[in-house]
Amino acid sequence: MKILKMIAYTFLMSLLGCKTEKKDFTEHEQGNWPNNARLVISFSMQFETGGQPEGAESPFSGKPLPKGQVDLPAESWFRYGAKEGVYRMLDLWDKHQIKVTSHVVGEAAIRYPEVAKAIANRGHEIAAHGIAWDDQWNMSYEEELNFVKKGIDTVEAITGQRGIGYNCNWLRRSPNTLKVLQELGFLYHIDDLSRDEPFITKVRGKDFVVVPYTLRNNDIVNIEGKQWSPDQFLEQLKAEFNQLYEEGKSKRRMMSVSLHDRIGGKPSVVRVVDEFIQYAKKHKGVVFMRKDEIAKMVKNDPNTPIDNSELEYNQ
């Protein structure tokens, strides 16, 4: 009956000389997300400058200086993130009215409080990234608890936001990390690469949200110190988007993109990310969301998968 009415209406409009667009007569294509999105894109903007340890990854990692010798050019490379990179990315998000998630290292916020405050004041999520750029996989339960708590307490005191999402250094969690996060009131973590959609895992019998991270669409993996150009990064983002957008017709899909202050904030990278955002915006049903918004949206949704692959560590 609906089809007959559409045909009759179209015929009537043609007699009256009115033009009709196909989109006026097609039913709204329902997405697979609670907000009916076809594809959710979430950007991470990691703020780490000032929290890096001696000998941290840099363009000069292939020729490290002797231990105890300060690497001044490497230090200046990290400072670029606080002096230029973050602000350039903030302007990009403002241009497109996009809100992102920024995992903030506690010592970075201490060193550059004005940068951390700028991120928060422009409406972006302040998520946790530890008090320092340091390993957690080798900590005891109490050591890890104190490490994470000191980080969120410190950043909250500076920005006014308390993180509910977490990212470990290089994703390297310990078997206790999710239990620590649960004890401290976190809602989600991102240190998982197993899916292209958020899911629920059980931690001590309670729901905990996982909003998967990315190594594919990640500037620190693809660009830092490697022969990988911004135009290659753009093609990677577009190829990933095209595939996930196609899959989004029939199942829930999320695209994660990760940018770091000193790398993603370079002029050439911001330029191609700008181009990618413009490309993505031309497609129907694409939304950009902070990770805390994603976690809150899917936590109580019955269509969110439950995956207990790590149950042995989370009891």
Side-chain angles (χ1 to χ4, degrees):
M1 181 62 70
K2 183 182 292 187
I3 294 175
L4 291 175
K5 288 181 178 179
M6 290 166 57
I7 293 173
Y9 183 77
T10 304
F11 179 69
L12 177 60
M13 290 297 100
S14 65
L15 289 177
L16 295 175
C18 300
K19 293 183 178 179
T20 60
E21 296 182 22
K22 184 178 180 181
K23 66 179 181 180
D24 294 332
F25 302 105
T26 55
E27 293 185 25
H28 175 64
E29 185 177 332
Q30 296 291 312
N32 293 288
W33 290 82
N35 61 356
N36 287 327
R38 177 164 167 177
L39 177 62
V40 169
I41 300 176
S42 184
F43 281 96
S44 294
M45 181 178 66
Q46 313 302 62
F47 180 38
E48 300 171 335
T49 294
Q52 72 275 7
E54 180 184 355
E57 297 82 4
S58 79
F60 312 108
S61 296
K63 289 186 175 294
L65 294 180
K67 189 173 179 59
Q69 177 67 48
V70 62
D71 190 339
L72 292 175
E75 291 291 312
S76 71
W77 182 75
F78 279 98
R79 287 199 302 274
Y80 187 90
K83 303 291 186 180
E84 300 277 4
V86 169
Y87 290 109
R88 183 173 286 118
M89 285 190 283
L90 287 175
D91 289 343
L92 176 65
W93 312 137
D94 284 350
K95 173 182 176 179
H96 290 286
Q97 297 183 313
I98 289 173
K99 303 304 178 185
V100 306
T101 293
S102 185
H103 288 88
V104 179
V105 172
E107 290 180 356
I110 293 172
R111 179 75 69 87
Y112 300 101
E114 71 283 357
V115 178
K117 290 176 183 178
I119 297 170
N121 291 341
R122 295 212 205 178
H124 304 290
E125 177 192 3
I126 298 293
H129 206 9
I131 182 60
W133 182 346
D134 201 359
D135 294 329
Q136 290 177 226
W137 56 266
N138 55 355
M139 294 181 181
S140 69
Y141 189 97
E142 287 302 319
E143 288 172 338
E144 190 170 11
L145 182 74
N146 292 332
F147 178 88
V148 176
K149 186 177 187 302
K150 187 176 181 180
I152 56 171
D153 289 348
T154 298
V155 175
E156 180 184 22
I158 293 170
T159 66
Q161 279 194 42
R162 189 170 186 82
I164 60 171
Y166 199 78
N167 174 212
C168 287
N169 180 39
W170 279 110
L171 286 74
R172 288 279 174 73
R173 295 177 278 128
S174 81
N176 292 320
T177 300
L178 297 195
K179 289 177 286 190
V180 165
L181 297 180
Q182 183 190 67
E183 182 172 341
L184 292 172
F186 282 84
L187 172 64
Y188 75 93
H189 84 110
I190 69 170
D191 300 320
D192 188 286
L193 305 167
S194 64
R195 289 177 178 264
D196 290 316
E197 64 177 311
F199 61 93
I200 300 291
T201 194
K202 295 290 183 180
V203 178
R204 291 173 172 153
K206 297 180 180 179
D207 289 349
F208 195 83
V209 183
V210 182
V211 183
Y213 197 51
T214 177
L215 296 182
R216 304 182 302 273
N217 310 315
N218 192 321
D219 61 358
I220 201 169
V221 174
N222 287 328
I223 297 175
E224 181 197 28
K226 299 176 177 62
Q227 302 304 313
W228 182 270
S229 63
D231 62 323
Q232 288 174 300
F233 190 53
L234 174 60
E235 290 307 309
Q236 161 71 26
L237 294 178
K238 285 184 175 180
E240 184 94 356
F241 174 89
N242 290 340
Q243 181 63 31
L244 292 176
Y245 188 75
E246 181 66 24
E247 293 177 7
K249 289 180 180 178
S250 58
K251 53 187 172 182
R252 188 175 293 179
R253 301 283 81 178
M254 183 188 83
M255 180 175 177
S256 178
V257 182
S258 178
L259 304 171
H260 293 71
D261 46 18
R262 61 208 176 274
I263 308 169
K266 296 192 299 187
S268 55
V269 179
V270 166
R271 190 76 172 184
V272 298
V273 173
D274 185 0
E275 187 174 335
F276 167 72
I277 294 172
Q278 294 180 52
Y279 175 78
K281 278 185 166 183
K282 294 177 182 178
H283 295 73
K284 180 181 176 182
V286 174
V287 297
F288 297 83
M289 297 182 67
R290 298 168 19 158
K291 289 175 174 59
D292 59 341
E293 296 171 335
I294 295 171
K296 291 174 183 177
M297 182 172 67
V298 305
K299 182 178 181 182
N300 298 312
D301 177 32
N303 294 316
T304 300
I306 296 177
D307 186 337
N308 288 314
S309 298
E310 298 180 352
L311 187 61
E312 62 180 302
Y313 307 115
N314 296 327
Q315 307 218 36

